[in-house]
Amino acid sequence: MEDKRDVDFGYIATSASVWDRIWFDTNGDGIQDSGENGIGGVTVELTDGASINLSTITDINGYYSFT
């Protein structure tokens, strides 16, 4: 098999992120309405279904992200 080092197939490195907000749903409608406060200090875990891959803690406004 021969290595070809002069060919460009257009591979582009990609990245993804997951983020959201944990909030107190005062009216219980499941929608983040204006005025509903975020909940800080909540541990959020990203799993593959079998084990925890990453974890983070929400900020003071309830936001978290995984990149």
Side-chain angles (χ1 to χ4, degrees):
M1 183 168 197
E2 180 181 344
D3 285 340
K4 297 292 284 178
R5 298 187 182 268
D6 59 345
V7 180
D8 180 3
F9 290 101
Y11 293 116
I12 299 173
T14 60
S15 64
S17 63
V18 175
W19 61 271
D20 208 343
R21 181 174 180 244
I22 305 295
W23 82 102
F24 185 70
D25 190 9
T26 55
N27 61 3
D29 66 356
I31 298 170
Q32 295 182 38
D33 298 313
S34 176
E36 292 181 328
N37 295 324
I39 305 171
V42 176
T43 299
V44 181
E45 299 173 336
L46 185 65
T47 71
D48 63 6
S51 61
I52 298 170
N53 298 92
L54 298 170
S55 68
T56 191
I57 299 174
T58 59
D59 69 13
I60 194 169
N61 296 307
Y63 291 99
Y64 66 89
S65 66
F66 298 97
T67 54

